[in-house]
Amino acid sequence: MSIPPSSTPTPPPQPAPASPLTLHGQYIKDLSFENPRAPQSLIEQKQPQLTLNVNVATRQFEPKTFEVALTIEASAVTPEKEPLFMLELVYAGTVTVGEVPQDAFGPLLLIETPRLLFPFARAIVANCTREAGFPPLNIAPVDFVALYRQQLDASKGQIPGLSGNGPVGHA
């Protein structure tokens, strides 16, 4: 059975809308792990006190291309305040912001991009602590919206991070 040709021409296919954010690559920029008391720190079975900090920073390369760096610092000490381990990871990605209003740059760079990078950084931290002989450090999800709002309040309503002048959030 054949279908008769339509008398109205079919419209040409529309190009797909441009993505508001394109992630070009992600990478470990810096990774440091110290286990200063090994092997004694691995023998002891004491509950450590853990400190964790998360920061997000941006650096602009071109008008719409940025590096977004997620810094995770973790350290553990014994109840006697002796160091067990110190970890620092800077995990970054390069992104291009699409055709979006200027006020969307902040949320795309400081909320959405860290959300994309975080699962990979979290896995690196867990693997690193496990390979060092400790239980894997599984970091709970980070509220990047709250970090962004905190920085927006601190910068008196200006979109943080577009000038590339350092940290833009801290948890």
Side-chain angles (χ1 to χ4, degrees):
M1 175 167 152
S2 84
I3 299 175
S6 172
S7 60
T8 59
T10 58
Q14 297 295 320
S19 173
L21 187 70
T22 302
L23 180 64
H24 299 290
Q26 52 192 42
Y27 43 90
I28 295 173
K29 192 163 182 165
D30 184 27
L31 176 61
S32 172
F33 189 91
E34 295 179 37
N35 189 355
R37 295 185 56 240
Q40 187 64 28
S41 61
L42 303 173
I43 297 169
E44 296 172 350
Q45 297 295 320
K46 298 177 182 178
Q47 182 66 33
Q49 178 184 353
L50 184 67
T51 303
L52 180 68
N53 290 307
V54 178
N55 290 299
V56 180
T58 64
R59 187 169 56 141
Q60 190 168 4
F61 294 119
E62 294 176 5
K64 292 190 172 194
T65 302
F66 298 83
E67 176 184 63
V68 177
L70 180 60
T71 300
I72 298 174
E73 296 172 336
S75 62
V77 296
T78 66
E80 294 81 27
K81 304 296 181 204
E82 295 173 322
L84 290 174
F85 71 79
M86 292 150 294
L87 176 140
E88 180 182 2
L89 170 65
V90 180
Y91 193 75
T94 54
V95 296
T96 298
V97 178
E99 297 300 321
V100 297
Q102 183 74 22
D103 63 350
F105 277 43
L108 286 171
L109 295 172
L110 302 171
I111 298 171
E112 295 308 320
T113 302
R115 280 183 181 165
L116 294 171
L117 298 175
F118 182 75
F120 299 96
R122 181 179 189 256
I124 292 166
V125 169
N127 288 335
C128 190
T129 53
R130 187 190 73 241
E131 292 295 328
F134 295 98
L137 176 57
N138 292 312
I139 303 170
V142 174
D143 185 354
F144 292 107
V145 173
L147 288 177
Y148 176 69
R149 287 182 180 152
Q150 173 190 27
Q151 188 62 24
L152 200 57
D153 290 342
S155 65
K156 296 181 179 24
Q158 295 196 3
I159 299 171
L162 293 184
S163 62
N165 292 358
V168 295
H170 192 260

